[in-house]
Each structure stands twice: as structure tokens, then as C-alpha cells.
Amino acid sequence: MKTLLIVAHGSRRESSNEEVRELTARVSDNASLAVDEVVVAFLEFASPSISTAMNNCLAKGADEVVVLPYFLSAGNHVVEDIPRAANAVLEQWPEKGVTILPHIGANVAMAQLISGSC
Amino acid sequence: MKTLLIVAHGSRRESSNEEVRELTARVSDNASLAVDEVVVAFLEFASPSISTAMNNCLAKGADEVVVLPYFLSAGNHVVEDIPRAANAVLEQWPEKGVTILPHIGANVAMAQLISGSC
């Protein structure tokens, strides 16, 4: 079983966190998805944390967690904090796997998404 | 003449700012684009500012600036800072127009972009 974990920064503004939760639900509704479930985690200001979310998924039977940093550019959170948090959880589950995807801003389709906005 | 202004937060990490500049160049290369030019501005930590970028475009002959907040969620920067900065510039150019698009995280295609990542 494979889980997609969307990791967002998190905001003091609860409506921003809710926006990411709703997006996660929309991704989860996509029938052609290559994973079995989609969950969200936040680095700061909102729950669940990466640790809580990953442990939940792994305890429920996920064999692999695919982590998508929902960030537009590769700052410290993307380069250091997210991999460190994910790998720390994985140390407790040596038989499981984690894949950390490039942050969403690095997706080659982002230019197309922007072009279609205007 | 119509200009797309991509407004990013800006980072102390220059490689993050460069990433947004490169993305802007890729958007600009899109032949089917509905605008005449694409430029970038930053709220903090990088240049040009919204004011400088918009004034440059308008002085060069743009009649309308379409502002795309390159943010994943609707925090204060999206809700208040970007519209305020754009409207302040427009007060100096009463014959010109500005359209502020929803932030990129609100684009309905974002769920599809995420789904395609994994």
C-alpha cells in the first residue's frame, strides 16, 4: 500500500490550512491516482505534523510513503526540514520506504498551469 | 498591450528567487500565451518590487497588467499586500488597468498537477 503525503508549510490563518486540506481531498478523489491514499501534513501552525501523519499511515499498513513538498521554491523547508522529518520517522520503520518528490514548484507543468491562468 | 506580472514572495536564498525567474522565462516562452509579455516581481528579499515592475511595464506601453500571486494559499500577502501594492501603482496611471488573478494555489488544475506528480 502506497500513500501520498502532501506536506504544506501551514499558516496561522486557519482558512489557509483548510484550503490545503480541501485540495488534498480533491487529489484523493482523482480516480487515476497512482497511490492508495492521500493525506496532508503541516510543518508549522497546523496539524497533523509529518511525524504524526507518517506514523498513522505506516501503522495502518502503508508500505511506502511518497512525500510531496507543497512548496513553490526550494528553501530550507524543502531542502532540509522535510527530508529530515520524514527520514526520522522511517528510522522507526526499517521495513518501510519513503520517496521524497521534488517540490511542486519544480514540476515542469507549472509553467503551463500559469500560462493557463491568464 | 497586456502584461502578466508573476508576484512571488521572494527569499533570502537567491537560488529560490532564480528558480522563479527561470519559471517566468518558461511561461514567457509559451507561444499560446494570452499576454504580450511576462515579468516577475517579489514582495520581499528580491528585486524588482511590484511597484518597480509595474511602473516599468506601464511606462513601456502596457495598457493592462494581469497580476498572478504566485502563492499556494490565501494569506495576508495574497489578500492584502499584493492588491494594495498594485492599486497604489495604478493610482499614478489612471488610464491603465489592472486585473488581479486568484493565487496559483486556487487554480482548479492544481489537484491534477499534484496527481501527476506521483
Side-chain angles (χ1 to χ4, degrees):
Chain A
M1 196 172 114
K2 197 170 171 181
T3 297
L4 173 63
L5 176 65
I6 298 174
V7 179
H9 186 280
S11 170
R12 288 189 179 88
R13 189 188 277 252
E14 184 49 28
S15 60
S16 293
N17 302 326
E18 199 49 41
E19 195 179 337
V20 182
R21 291 191 186 100
E22 286 166 9
L23 175 65
T24 302
R26 287 204 302 282
V27 175
S28 189
D29 287 345
N30 188 324
S32 62
L33 207 60
V35 297
D36 302 291
E37 67 168 356
V38 186
V39 297
V40 68
F42 298 92
L43 272 186
E44 296 176 15
F45 307 123
S47 298
S49 65
I50 292 177
S51 168
T52 298
M54 276 187 68
N55 277 309
N56 278 347
C57 299
L58 297 170
K60 281 195 306 181
D63 305 299
E64 185 184 359
V65 178
V66 180
V67 177
L68 172 66
Y70 189 57
F71 285 73
L72 289 173
S73 58
N76 287 337
H77 291 318
V78 169
V79 176
E80 294 172 18
D81 300 342
I82 294 175
R84 184 170 51 223
N87 288 322
V89 173
L90 206 69
E91 283 176 15
Q92 312 302 314
W93 300 84
E95 76 284 15
K96 310 277 190 171
V98 66
T99 302
I100 300 179
L101 297 174
H103 58 290
I104 194 71
N107 193 302
V108 293
M110 185 60 83
Q112 197 59 45
L113 188 71
I114 293 174
S115 302
S117 299
C118 64
Chain B
M1 195 172 117
K2 197 170 171 181
T3 298
L4 173 64
L5 176 65
I6 298 173
V7 179
H9 187 281
S11 170
R12 288 190 181 88
R13 190 188 277 254
E14 184 49 29
S15 60
S16 292
N17 302 326
E18 198 49 42
E19 195 179 338
V20 182
R21 291 191 187 101
E22 286 167 8
L23 175 65
T24 302
R26 288 203 301 282
V27 174
S28 189
D29 287 343
N30 188 324
S32 63
L33 207 59
V35 297
D36 303 290
E37 68 169 355
V38 186
V39 297
V40 68
F42 298 91
L43 272 185
E44 296 177 14
F45 306 123
S47 297
S49 64
I50 292 177
S51 168
T52 298
M54 275 188 67
N55 277 310
N56 277 349
C57 299
L58 297 170
K60 280 195 305 182
D63 305 299
E64 185 186 356
V65 178
V66 179
V67 177
L68 173 66
Y70 189 58
F71 286 74
L72 289 173
S73 59
N76 287 336
H77 291 318
V78 169
V79 175
E80 295 171 16
D81 300 342
I82 294 174
R84 185 170 51 225
N87 288 323
V89 172
L90 206 69
E91 282 176 15
Q92 312 302 315
W93 300 84
E95 77 285 14
K96 310 278 190 171
V98 66
T99 302
I100 301 180
L101 297 174
H103 58 289
I104 195 70
N107 192 303
V108 293
M110 185 60 82
Q112 197 58 46
L113 189 70
I114 292 174
S115 301
S117 298
C118 62

